[in-house]
């Protein structure tokens, strides 16, 4: 009522000013609240909240972590439901994809902007894993409280629960009496002893008892299986200290080089080898070294109601000139010819040799081929009988690697260098290599496998990773009697959380750079969070890089809840390099 005596223009402007004023106050209040919440999160709160919705906010968080702007605070923990999360094998994502050739069970990774910047927590009651070799036979139940396999497969000797432990008697579906007895039977037909065979591939491995018991024969087995209804089988294998890897033979090649495995084994792996015009058998042939052995135990070998599949399997093997060594009960053993296949031979499957075998070792997101790889396209002595026996194979220069064609000087220098470096790690940096504390080891940038070779007397196995964007040296690593995979470090690795004791990398920043442009293809914060995911609590990371990179990673380490220590390189080492040793702390939700 008091405004009724104001002139009309005065009353109008007064009401307009108040409306603008209210809008302005609301806008600046919201803006102020946003900055208070954001910077409080970065500077005052106990942890850093991830963003899975706004890419710009996520990017700001990553920059803040890189620049060390968190004032000693750490990245937030992921929800407790994510304790076993594998980003590229997430059934919530993959279940929406095509079932054709099991495409949905292969790797399918989310984009970085779709993922939270958070740290995978350990499960309730997590304990430092049982040490090798005791872990071969028992592990803590609380570290992987998944009873499904024990309940369903306990009668077959896979595993059973006893008090606080899971116990592994060593059995399998096709060898309920134990892997030792099964391997003993195979040795009647295959040269298991004596170093003739060194690298093996176990397809659909279960809890990897077959590969575990082959270690006593100095045969190093890469065991793999997909994430399926028995979702933790690979996790159990790695917790036991047995080499293992999550993979699916579907539409793409497995991430291994051509002719790298001396033995390929399938015990009820249920792979339809003759389907899709024998595409899966052709992939096995690509992986198997000339003169190597193929063992298929279980269906369709003399299996009821699978007579057609068994007949087709024999026909494919015959078409590729595989020698059938024996068929004993439900186990069949073949030997691959040491020379080129006898194709073309008018076989009923229409199998032919590939016109161009120059891509034989390309195996990163590479589609399966429907033609047979030619061994004659790769020069060198790598067939069984011509390649040196183990352990001489470890130090003999691989003859087929194209990077070593000009001579062996580079290879020999690399081997000597890593002997010196590993001695420095043990003696001066107090890294627990050679002790029971370290069993599962990964080399993220393996080159020729020199780091792994220098650990030959230690009770460890090493996953040698050759980055997909770098020269394909994985064939040389396999020819040395070591194992590994191709991988792009701008994507998560195909393993469960908490599966490696020590992770090693030379030139970590090069893993995310485009080799042509020199620009980063992804960010190092996501890479460090991924390393944290696959590293066991109280595990160790050893990085070698330029001082600037080492300082940057050390800043990030505080946000990832690691303890960093920077060292100078070896006294007699050349180049500008520093060594960063990181220890992952054991924290709980």
């Amino acid at each position: 009522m008091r405004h009724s005596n104001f002139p009309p223009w005065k009353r109008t402007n007064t009401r307009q000013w108040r409306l603008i004023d209210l809008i302005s106050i609301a806008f600046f209040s919201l803006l102020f609240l946003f900055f208070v919440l954001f910077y409080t999160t970065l500077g005052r709160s106990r942890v850093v909240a991830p963003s899975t919705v706004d890419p710009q906010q996520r990017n700001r968080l990553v920059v803040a972590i890189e620049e060390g702007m968190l004032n000693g605070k750490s990245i937030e923990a992921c929800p407790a439901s994510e304790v076993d999360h594998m980003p590229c094998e997430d059934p919530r994502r993959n279940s929406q994809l095509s079932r054709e050739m099991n495409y949905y069970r292969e790797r399918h990774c989310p984009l970085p902007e779709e993922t939270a910047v958070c740290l995978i927590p350990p499960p309730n009651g997590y304990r430092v894993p049982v040490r090798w070799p005791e872990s071969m036979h028992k592990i803590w139940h609380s570290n992987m409280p998944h009873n499904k396999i024990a309940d369903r497969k306990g009668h077959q000797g896979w595993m059973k629960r006893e008090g606080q432990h899971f116990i592994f008697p060593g059995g399998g579906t096709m060898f309920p009496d134990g892997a030792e007895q099964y391997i003993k039977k195979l040795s009647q037909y295959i040269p298991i002893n004596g170093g003739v065979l060194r690298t093996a591939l176990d397809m659909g491995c279960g809890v990897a008892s077959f590969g575990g018991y082959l270690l006593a024969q100095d045969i190093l087995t890469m065991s793999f299986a997909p994430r399926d209804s028995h979702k933790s089988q690979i996790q159990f294998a790695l917790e036991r200290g047995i080499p293992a890897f999550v993979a699916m033979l579907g539409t793409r090649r497995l991430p291994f080089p051509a002719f790298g495995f001396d033995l390929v084994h399938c015990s009820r792996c249920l792979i339809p080898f003759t389907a899709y015009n024998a595409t899966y058998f052709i992939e096995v042939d690509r992986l198997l070294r000339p003169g190597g052995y193929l063992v298929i135990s279980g269906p369709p070998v003399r299996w009821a109601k699978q007579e057609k599949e068994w007949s087709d399997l024999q026909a494919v093997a015959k078409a590729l000139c595989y020698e059938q060594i024996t068929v004993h009960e439900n186990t069949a053993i073949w030997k691959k010819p040491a020379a080129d296949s006898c194709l073309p031979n008018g076989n009923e499957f229409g199998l032919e040799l590939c016109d161009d075998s120059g891509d034989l070792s390309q195996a990163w997101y590479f589609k399966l081929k429907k033609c047979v790889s030619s061994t004659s396209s790769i020069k060198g002595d790598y067939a069984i009988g011509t390649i040196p026996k183990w352990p001489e194979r470890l130090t003999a220069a691989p003859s087929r690697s194209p990077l070593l064609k000009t001579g062996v000087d580079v290879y020999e220098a690399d081997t000597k260098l890593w002997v010196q470096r590993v001695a420095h790690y043990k003696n001066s940096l107090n890294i627990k290599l050679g002790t029971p504390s370290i069993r599962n080891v990964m080399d993220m940038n393996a080159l020729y496998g020199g780091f792994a070779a220098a650990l030959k007397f230690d009770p460890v196995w090493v996953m040698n990773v050759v980055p997909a964007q770098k020269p394909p040296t994985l064939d040389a690593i396999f020819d040395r009697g070591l194992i590994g995979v191709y991988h792009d470090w701008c994507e998560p690795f195909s393993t469960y959380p908490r599966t490696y004791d020590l992770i090693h990398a030379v030139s970590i920043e090069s893993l995310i750079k485009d080799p042509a442009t020199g620009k980063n293809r992804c960010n190092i914060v996501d890479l460090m969070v991924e390393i944290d995911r696959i590293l066991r609590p109280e595990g160790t990371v050893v990085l070698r890089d330029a001082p600037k990179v080492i300082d940057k990673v050390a800043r990030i380490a505080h946000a990832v809840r690691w303890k960093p220590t920077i060292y100078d390189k070896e006294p007699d080492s050349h180049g500008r390099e520093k060594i960063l040793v990181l220890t992952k702390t054991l924290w709980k939700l």
Side-chain angles (χ1 to χ4, degrees):
M1 294 293 294
R2 74 175 64 178
H3 298 306
S4 60
N5 294 326
F6 285 8
W9 62 269
K10 186 76 171 177
R11 291 199 301 271
T12 301
N13 283 349
T14 299
R15 286 194 299 271
Q16 191 175 35
W17 180 86
R18 286 184 173 179
L19 180 60
I20 293 173
D21 185 52
L22 290 172
I23 294 172
S24 299
I25 290 172
F27 173 79
F28 285 108
S29 296
L30 289 172
L31 188 63
F32 175 77
L33 181 61
F34 170 80
F35 280 107
V36 167
L37 289 174
F38 182 74
Y39 285 105
T40 298
T41 299
L42 291 183
R44 296 182 183 178
S45 65
R46 186 176 63 87
V47 294
V48 180
S51 169
T52 59
V53 178
D54 183 356
Q56 292 183 345
Q57 185 176 348
R58 184 187 192 281
N59 184 62
R60 286 193 294 269
L61 176 58
V62 168
V63 171
I65 296 170
E66 283 184 330
E67 299 300 325
M69 296 167 56
L70 304 188
N71 298 322
K73 306 306 177 183
S74 56
I75 299 172
E76 185 181 71
C78 302
S81 59
E82 303 298 295
V83 293
D84 295 329
H85 181 52
M86 291 188 293
C88 298
E89 285 83 11
D90 190 340
R92 295 168 295 190
R93 167 186 293 269
N94 296 1
S95 62
Q96 307 301 315
L97 302 174
S98 170
R99 262 60 174 171
E100 179 69 15
M101 294 184 72
N102 282 312
Y103 175 74
Y104 76 109
R105 294 170 73 182
E106 295 180 294
R107 287 175 54 87
H108 301 285
C109 302
L111 296 173
E113 56 265 29
E114 298 173 348
T115 62
V117 181
C118 62
L119 305 179
I120 298 290
N124 289 332
Y126 182 85
R127 306 173 66 165
V128 172
V130 177
R131 303 305 190 189
W132 181 265
E134 188 180 7
S135 63
M136 172 83 167
H137 306 290
K138 71 176 185 179
I139 64 172
W140 294 115
H141 175 270
S142 58
N143 286 11
M144 283 172 296
H146 309 306
N147 299 324
K148 192 171 185 178
I149 298 179
D151 294 341
R152 293 190 175 186
K153 302 290 186 178
H155 67 287
Q156 296 173 352
W158 282 38
M159 56 186 285
K160 59 183 178 178
R161 183 176 178 182
E162 288 187 1
Q164 299 183 56
H165 295 97
F166 279 122
I167 305 299
F168 299 88
T173 302
M174 297 307 301
F175 43 91
D177 295 331
E180 282 185 304
Q181 291 299 318
Y182 177 70
I183 292 169
K184 186 176 181 180
K185 290 180 181 179
L186 295 182
S187 66
Q188 299 175 33
Y189 310 99
I190 298 174
I192 297 289
N193 304 307
V196 175
L197 306 182
R198 169 60 180 174
T199 55
L201 180 68
D202 190 14
M203 313 173 77
C205 62
V207 294
S209 289
F210 178 73
Y213 280 93
L214 277 178
L215 290 170
Q217 309 299 331
D218 274 338
I219 294 178
L220 188 59
T221 304
M222 176 72 81
S223 299
F224 82 87
R227 179 173 184 147
D228 59 7
S229 59
H230 301 147
K231 69 173 187 175
S232 301
Q233 54 188 319
I234 294 301
Q235 193 177 18
F236 282 120
L238 288 161
E239 186 76 4
R240 297 175 70 186
I242 301 171
F245 181 70
V246 177
M248 179 70 199
L249 186 53
T251 66
R252 312 178 191 122
R253 285 177 173 175
L254 294 170
F256 310 118
F259 314 138
F261 293 100
D262 306 338
L263 168 67
V264 174
H265 175 258
C266 157
S267 174
R268 200 177 174 85
C269 65
L270 303 181
I271 294 173
F273 290 106
T274 61
Y276 310 105
N277 204 38
T279 296
Y280 294 143
F281 198 108
I282 290 172
E283 173 63 359
V284 169
D285 181 74
R286 183 186 75 87
L287 298 173
L288 186 59
R289 192 181 298 277
Y293 294 85
L294 170 63
V295 178
I296 299 180
S297 179
V301 179
R302 289 181 174 173
W303 208 260
K305 299 182 181 180
Q306 293 197 28
E307 292 82 3
K308 171 76 164 58
E309 291 82 356
W310 171 226
S311 176
D312 287 347
L313 180 59
Q314 291 176 296
V316 171
K318 183 177 180 180
L320 296 179
C321 303
Y322 280 48
E323 177 190 356
Q324 189 172 90
I325 302 296
T326 188
V327 180
H328 178 71
E329 296 177 346
N330 298 118
T331 299
I333 303 175
W334 291 272
K335 183 175 183 180
K336 180 177 176 176
D340 248 346
S341 169
C342 54
L343 291 175
N345 55 14
N347 63 88
E348 61 186 283
F349 294 90
L351 300 178
E352 296 180 351
L353 290 173
C354 297
D355 293 333
D356 180 11
S357 299
D359 58 11
L360 273 179
S361 285
Q362 292 187 30
W364 184 245
Y365 289 115
F366 194 94
K367 288 186 177 181
L368 291 172
K369 285 198 168 186
K370 294 185 178 181
C371 56
V372 180
S373 305
S374 172
T375 58
S376 61
S377 63
I378 300 179
K379 306 300 181 183
D381 297 327
Y382 55 89
I384 299 294
T386 62
I387 192 170
K389 294 182 179 181
W390 180 263
E392 291 78 12
R393 189 186 298 189
L394 183 66
T395 52
S399 63
R400 65 163 161 162
S401 176
L403 297 182
L404 297 174
K405 294 300 183 184
T406 57
V408 298
D409 292 347
V410 173
Y411 169 80
E412 291 179 348
D414 182 76
T415 300
K416 292 178 181 178
L417 176 66
W418 280 110
V419 170
Q420 297 170 358
R421 286 178 170 179
V422 167
H424 180 70
Y425 290 169
K426 294 178 179 179
N427 300 330
S428 300
L429 308 189
N430 298 317
I431 296 171
K432 297 179 180 179
L433 285 165
T435 75
S437 297
I438 297 177
R439 170 61 183 172
N440 300 349
V441 178
M442 174 184 287
D443 190 359
M444 298 174 65
N445 193 10
L447 190 57
Y448 301 125
F451 171 69
L455 300 174
K456 61 183 178 181
F457 296 118
D458 292 347
V460 302
W461 68 273
V462 181
M463 177 70 84
N464 293 282
V465 182
V466 172
Q469 288 71 34
K470 295 202 171 188
T473 55
L474 199 54
D475 54 358
I477 289 172
F478 273 81
D479 285 354
R480 298 185 74 172
L482 305 171
I483 57 174
V485 294
Y486 292 113
H487 182 69
D488 182 349
W489 283 111
C490 280
E491 295 184 5
F493 194 77
S494 286
T495 193
Y496 282 87
R498 303 173 302 279
T499 47
Y500 285 89
D501 299 303
L502 184 142
I503 297 177
H504 177 267
V506 175
S507 188
I508 187 170
E509 198 169 47
S510 73
L511 304 180
I512 62 174
K513 285 186 178 295
D514 186 312
T517 66
K519 295 181 179 179
N520 285 351
R521 300 177 295 114
C522 53
N523 71 74
I524 199 165
V525 171
D526 283 330
L527 178 57
M528 302 308 291
V529 169
E530 170 62 7
I531 294 174
D532 178 81
R533 184 185 72 86
I534 65 179
L535 185 67
R536 286 173 169 173
E538 299 190 5
T540 303
V541 180
V542 181
L543 305 177
R544 306 178 66 100
D545 215 316
K548 182 178 179 181
V549 176
I550 291 296
D551 290 341
K552 182 178 182 179
V553 174
R555 288 196 302 269
I556 299 171
H558 291 289
V560 189
R561 312 189 191 197
W562 293 348
K563 296 177 181 178
T565 306
I566 298 176
Y567 297 92
D568 290 329
K569 63 183 185 301
E570 299 82 6
D572 55 349
S573 179
H574 300 290
R576 294 182 67 253
E577 215 177 29
K578 284 189 177 294
I579 303 171
L580 177 62
V581 178
L582 304 159
T583 303
K584 178 176 177 177
T585 56
L586 174 55
W587 54 269
K588 300 179 181 179
L589 287 174

